[in-house]
Amino acid sequence: RFYAEICKVSGEPYEAECLRLMRKSIERYLQENTIGEVSLKRDPTFRESNLVLKQRMRALMLRGNRKQQLVQINISAKEEELLWKSGQLGNQSALALLNVNLLN
């Protein structure tokens, strides 16, 4: 149901690739905050939600809701903390603030 109904605040649908990245972000959060490995893509428990995601992505791509390919960088909480401490992330400069936006 989540993938079938999620949309932007404006009511517009997210781009197809954004939906896949949301699943990846949720999966990473669960892996960092639960015991054991979690795979939203491969675990049979999530089979139905993956089918809905696949159908929604296909429908969005057919309608032209595609986003330009972005490079995804996965960093751990410790790596993020180091970036904040080093000033690479923060509000002390335009570049550091831009990096925060890119990270989120």
Side-chain angles (χ1 to χ4, degrees), residues 14 20 30 42 46 53 59 89 101:
Y14 282 101
R20 189 186 66 77
L30 291 172
R42 291 181 208 88
F46 303 104
L53 173 61
L89 298 175
N101 288 329

Side-chain angles (χ1 to χ4, degrees), residues 7 12 15 31 36 39 42 52-53 58 76 92 102:
C7 61
E12 296 176 51
E15 292 84 4
Q31 288 175 350
S39 175
R42 291 181 208 88
V52 171
L53 173 61
R58 184 175 291 137
S76 69
Q92 66 275 9
L102 292 174

Side-chain angles (χ1 to χ4, degrees), residues 1-65:
R1 186 173 154 175
F2 172 78
Y3 296 120
E5 296 178 2
I6 190 165
C7 61
K8 297 177 185 179
V9 175
S10 65
E12 296 176 51
Y14 282 101
E15 292 84 4
E17 184 65 12
C18 288
L19 296 176
R20 189 186 66 77
L21 293 174
M22 284 180 199
R23 178 180 65 190
K24 186 74 173 163
S25 295
I26 294 167
E27 184 176 83
R28 184 176 60 205
Y29 174 84
L30 291 172
Q31 288 175 350
E32 291 177 357
N33 294 286
T34 62
I35 298 173
E37 284 293 310
V38 176
S39 175
L40 299 180
K41 186 176 183 178
R42 291 181 208 88
D43 191 318
T45 305
F46 303 104
R47 183 178 176 273
E48 188 175 330
S49 67
N50 283 317
L51 288 174
V52 171
L53 173 61
K54 188 175 180 178
Q55 291 169 346
R56 179 95 190 270
M57 287 178 64
R58 184 175 291 137
L60 289 169
M61 289 191 326
L62 288 172
R63 286 184 20 200
N65 283 32

Side-chain angles (χ1 to χ4, degrees), residues 65-103:
N65 283 32
R66 296 177 187 220
K67 190 169 186 145
Q68 290 182 341
Q69 188 75 19
L70 297 176
V71 176
Q72 181 181 356
I73 300 171
N74 294 322
I75 63 171
S76 69
K78 287 181 183 180
E79 290 170 322
E80 182 178 346
E81 185 178 341
L82 288 172
L83 291 171
W84 283 98
K85 286 181 180 178
S86 70
Q88 297 296 315
L89 298 175
N91 61 0
Q92 66 275 9
S93 72
L95 182 58
L97 190 56
L98 179 62
N99 288 339
V100 172
N101 288 329
L102 292 174
L103 180 64

